[in-house]
Amino acid sequence: MTFTISHDHIGISVTAEDLEATVAWYSHSLGLTVESRFDTQGFTFVFLSRDGVRIELMAGGASTRQTWHGNVFGSMDPSRLHHFCLAVDDLDRVIATLGERGVELIGGPITAEAIGRRIAFTADNLGNIIELSEPVAA
């Protein structure tokens, strides 16, 4: 038997006190909009989306904030999500737009010849690493 699989969303847990700032960061910095928001079983869930990308913020369970610090390539802790990647059509334009919005890069841009991609890294207001990736022109 075969089945189809596709990406649905990325889930990020946040503290209740960080929820609104995180919604604002993704809305302002990456242009995502709130798709839905609801409370259930003591948690608040916010789904943000844009161009087929969906991010779920989950608030209520975490009691302390854990942040990322250090070199983007040296933060390979196997017990957590390292990063998520967003495909972009023009990395330089995205980097310029992020700069206008006060968002700094934490790595790159670099060309990863082995995978035919040009990549850069940033982090959200909580320190979650976000890779931005465009195909290298042939």
Side-chain angles (χ1 to χ4, degrees):
M1 175 182 269
T2 62
F3 58 91
T4 302
I5 190 168
S6 65
H7 172 76
D8 185 82
H9 71 273
I10 296 162
I12 301 173
S13 59
V14 301
T15 63
E17 62 266 22
D18 287 330
L19 180 61
E20 296 311 319
T22 305
V23 169
W25 191 93
Y26 279 96
S27 297
H28 172 76
S29 301
L30 297 179
L32 278 75
T33 59
V34 175
E35 176 183 298
S36 64
R37 180 185 189 120
F38 58 94
D39 296 309
T40 185
Q41 299 180 9
F43 289 84
T44 299
F45 295 86
V46 179
F47 280 87
L48 300 129
S49 63
R50 176 184 169 185
D51 301 329
V53 171
R54 292 177 71 223
I55 296 175
E56 173 191 23
L57 302 177
M58 305 168 286
S63 60
T64 59
R65 180 197 289 186
Q66 297 179 357
T67 58
W68 170 88
H69 297 283
N71 182 308
V72 67
F73 297 110
S75 59
M76 301 291 282
D77 180 349
S79 65
R80 68 170 180 87
L81 174 72
H82 181 265
H83 70 276
F84 64 89
C85 181
L86 300 174
V88 300
D89 60 352
D90 184 339
L91 184 60
D92 292 325
R93 185 177 69 212
V94 171
I95 291 169
T97 301
L98 290 175
E100 292 168 4
R101 296 176 180 175
V103 179
E104 297 179 12
L105 294 183
I106 60 171
I110 62 170
T111 300
E113 295 288 343
I115 58 171
R117 308 294 289 182
R118 216 169 137 246
I119 60 177
F121 295 87
T122 190
D124 69 12
N125 64 304
L126 299 173
N128 294 301
I129 299 171
I130 303 166
E131 178 181 350
L132 305 165
S133 173
E134 77 171 350
V136 174

